[in-house]
């Protein structure tokens, strides 16, 4: 069996530059949403970096599907770089502000020749057999109604050998990152204890809707869904180090997660424990970066 040699990460300098310009346009057009814009710009930059190796494998001009595109900043940025992008986003619970931002992003993308195709449907309803070289989701899979159905439909939308990369929290780990609270074994129990804190969140635009959308996805549930589909998921153990670095360097990440998370990241780095994260099995990591390939 020939071992695949990893491709060098794609050069996405122009993608990051487009995202910054679009962010400036959004802040000018929607000054009342400046904080939210900063968050989505930060997430788009993170998403582009997280996908660099996958995009290099897919190759220039590849057909991409973003599952849960949100404001479409990342999709449009990748379209500006020559990829052929379809942005799927049904704008569900917890994201009532998103339609306005996406409209502004797509208007800007139209003027710069970077408008992706858009699909306003749930991922569970996707029917595009063999249409894409690479699908991806950044902090979306924890919000879908049926993760197993999403995996099935996205996998069917890939060409043979195509891959689906998704990054999301891992709910076996006892921490909920949207609301910065410990989890207490189940969503219902956590809600009972932290309901007031959840509803009073200063960083979540629609706390009640966002909480309702969370599905408590785990590495175990992903593995079971993949086994039913006859595919094997792989998990990138380096993701925890990436999040620790964001806690130190990313202002929007720091605003959402507060001084406590940054202090923990500083302490972990000082003790050299960030390197130990590479040794932790996926089931013990606070987040997952999972890749699934459609069999050839």
């Amino acid at each position: 069996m020939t071992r695949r040699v990893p491709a060098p990460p794609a050069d996405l300098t122009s993608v990051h530059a487009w995202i910054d310009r679009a962010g400036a346009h959004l802040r000018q057009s929607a000054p009342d949403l400046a904080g939210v814009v900063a968050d989505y710009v930060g997430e788009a930059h993170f998403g582009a970096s997280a996908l660099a190796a996958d995009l290099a494998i897919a190759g220039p001009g590849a057909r991409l599907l973003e599952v849960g595109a949100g404001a479409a900043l990342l999709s449009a940025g990748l379209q500006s770089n020559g990829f052929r992008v379809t942005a799927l986003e049904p704008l569900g619970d917890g994201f009532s502000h998103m339609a306005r931002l996406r409209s502004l992003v797509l208007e800007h993308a139209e003027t710069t020749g970077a408008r992706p195709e858009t699909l306003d449907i749930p991922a569970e309803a996707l029917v595009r057999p063999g249409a894409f070289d690479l699908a991806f989701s950044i902090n979306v899979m924890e919000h879908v109604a049926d993760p197993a159905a999403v995996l099935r439909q996205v996998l069917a939308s890939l060409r043979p050998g195509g891959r689906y990369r998704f990054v999301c929290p891992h709910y076996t780990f006892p921490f909920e990152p949207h609301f910065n609270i410990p989890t207490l074994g189940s969503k219902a129990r956590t809600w009972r204890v932290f309901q007031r804190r959840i509803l009073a969140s200063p960083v979540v635009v629609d706390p009640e809707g966002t909480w309702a959308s969370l599905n408590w996805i785990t590495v175990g549930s992903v593995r079971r869904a993949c086994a039913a589909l006859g595919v094997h998921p792989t998990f990138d153990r380096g993701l925890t180090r990436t999040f620790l670095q964001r806690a130190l360097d990313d202002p929007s990440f720091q605003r959402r997660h507060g001084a406590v998370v940054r202090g923990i990241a500083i302490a972990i780095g000082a003790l050299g424990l960030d390197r130990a994260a590479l040794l932790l099995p996926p089931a013990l990591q606070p987040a997952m970066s999972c890749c699934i390939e459609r069999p050839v």
Side-chain angles (χ1 to χ4, degrees):
M1 180 177 179
T2 302
R3 185 176 180 180
R4 175 185 285 174
V5 178
D11 182 358
L12 301 176
T13 303
S14 65
V15 175
H16 290 291
W18 193 95
I19 291 168
D20 281 334
R21 290 193 299 272
H25 172 74
L26 290 175
R27 285 188 291 272
Q28 183 178 33
S29 302
D32 56 312
L33 293 177
V36 175
V37 169
D39 292 343
Y40 284 111
V41 167
E43 287 301 296
H45 283 305
F46 165 68
S49 298
L51 292 170
D54 297 297
L55 291 166
I57 293 170
R63 302 164 299 167
L64 310 182
L65 170 68
E66 182 170 13
V67 179
L73 274 168
L74 180 54
S75 281
L78 292 169
Q79 183 82 18
S80 77
N81 199 43
F83 293 103
R84 294 171 289 164
V85 186
T86 297
L88 183 152
E89 178 55 73
L91 298 178
D93 288 342
F95 300 92
S96 53
H97 59 288
M98 192 70 73
R100 180 181 171 199
L101 285 179
R102 185 175 68 165
S103 177
L104 291 170
V105 169
L106 293 177
E107 287 174 7
H108 182 68
E110 188 76 49
T111 65
T112 60
R115 185 182 177 110
E117 177 192 17
T118 56
L119 290 177
D120 298 330
I121 60 171
E124 294 90 336
L126 176 68
V127 182
R128 288 283 187 92
F132 303 103
D133 303 300
L134 171 68
F136 59 91
S137 303
I138 306 297
N139 293 327
V140 166
M141 281 293 282
E142 74 271 26
H143 296 289
V144 302
D146 187 343
V150 171
L151 292 176
R152 182 183 65 245
Q153 297 307 111
V154 172
L155 192 68
S157 80
L158 297 172
R159 63 164 175 78
R163 53 173 48 193
Y164 179 31
R165 167 76 61 184
F166 63 90
V167 176
C168 68
H170 173 220
Y171 282 88
T172 298
F173 191 86
F175 180 74
E176 206 304 300
H178 300 80
F179 297 94
N180 300 314
I181 57 176
T183 56
L184 304 176
S186 73
K187 184 178 179 180
R189 186 180 301 116
T190 304
W191 170 259
R192 286 197 298 270
V193 174
F194 290 108
Q195 179 178 357
R196 289 186 179 180
R197 181 168 171 178
I198 290 166
L199 295 177
S201 172
V203 295
V204 178
V205 174
D206 180 359
E208 188 170 8
T210 298
W211 181 262
S213 75
L214 296 174
N215 59 37
W216 243 237
I217 191 171
T218 67
V219 166
S221 67
V222 170
R223 283 177 167 155
R224 288 190 293 273
C226 287
L229 294 170
V231 294
H232 178 72
T234 58
F235 296 90
D236 178 4
R237 298 189 185 193
L239 184 64
T240 295
R241 294 188 74 183
T242 301
F243 278 119
L244 290 173
Q245 197 60 48
R246 290 188 76 192
L248 299 175
D249 300 337
D250 185 335
S252 69
F253 190 91
Q254 293 167 4
R255 184 185 73 84
R256 296 197 306 278
H257 297 289
V260 172
V261 172
R262 186 172 188 273
I264 292 172
I266 292 172
I268 289 173
L271 294 172
L273 297 178
D274 57 325
R275 293 186 293 275
L278 297 173
L279 304 177
L280 288 175
L284 296 180
Q285 300 266 359
M288 66 178 95
S289 175
C290 179
C291 182
I292 302 167
E293 291 192 9
R294 182 174 179 179
V296 177

